[in-house]
Amino acid sequence: MDNREKLEKMDRALRLMQDLRHSQVAMVEKSSKLQMDAMEFNFSEMEKNMGDLFSRYNESLDLIDAEVERFEIKRNQFEQKHGLDKIEEE
């Protein structure tokens, strides 16, 4: 695999991580909404469980955010190191 192919593969991985992040944001939002609903319904067990899920999903979101940031830095360094950030002339 040449450097251009490796960069393209890194870009695909970055898109997947960003997609995972969007999914995780949705899970955080939904678990929070369900926790609030459970409070209104006075369903204490559901409220507790949704609160636990919210915490776990939020921790996962923090982990994904940190990994996306680290990966973007590595990807950009790779791109610059190999001169792939330059526009190719035809």
Side-chain angles (χ1 to χ4, degrees):
M1 168 178 351
D2 70 13
N3 290 334
R4 176 66 60 193
E5 290 172 327
K6 187 171 182 178
L7 183 64
E8 288 171 4
K9 193 169 188 171
M10 292 171 95
D11 286 341
R12 280 192 303 272
L14 186 57
R15 284 191 302 274
L16 283 174
M17 282 192 287
Q18 290 168 338
D19 186 48
L20 182 61
R21 183 190 182 287
H22 293 303
S23 298
Q24 199 67 29
V25 166
M27 292 175 76
V28 167
E29 291 171 352
K30 288 175 184 178
S31 61
S32 175
K33 171 72 173 108
L34 286 168
Q35 183 182 20
M36 298 304 284
D37 288 348
M39 290 170 79
E40 286 182 34
F41 304 145
N42 200 25
F43 294 162
S44 59
E45 189 172 338
M46 181 181 168
E47 180 184 343
K48 179 196 174 304
N49 290 336
M50 291 304 109
D52 290 346
L53 282 176
F54 173 83
S55 295
R56 290 178 192 172
Y57 294 153
N58 209 35
E59 288 174 14
S60 294
L61 181 57
D62 290 343
L63 181 64
I64 292 167
D65 283 342
E67 194 56 39
V68 166
E69 186 176 327
R70 274 194 296 271
F71 192 78
E72 283 179 328
I73 291 168
K74 294 274 189 191
R75 181 240 174 255
N76 293 341
Q77 289 171 342
F78 179 85
E79 181 182 48
Q80 289 176 350
K81 176 182 177 185
H82 296 287
L84 300 171
D85 56 337
K86 311 276 188 285
I87 298 174
E88 293 182 15
E89 295 181 23
E90 295 182 26

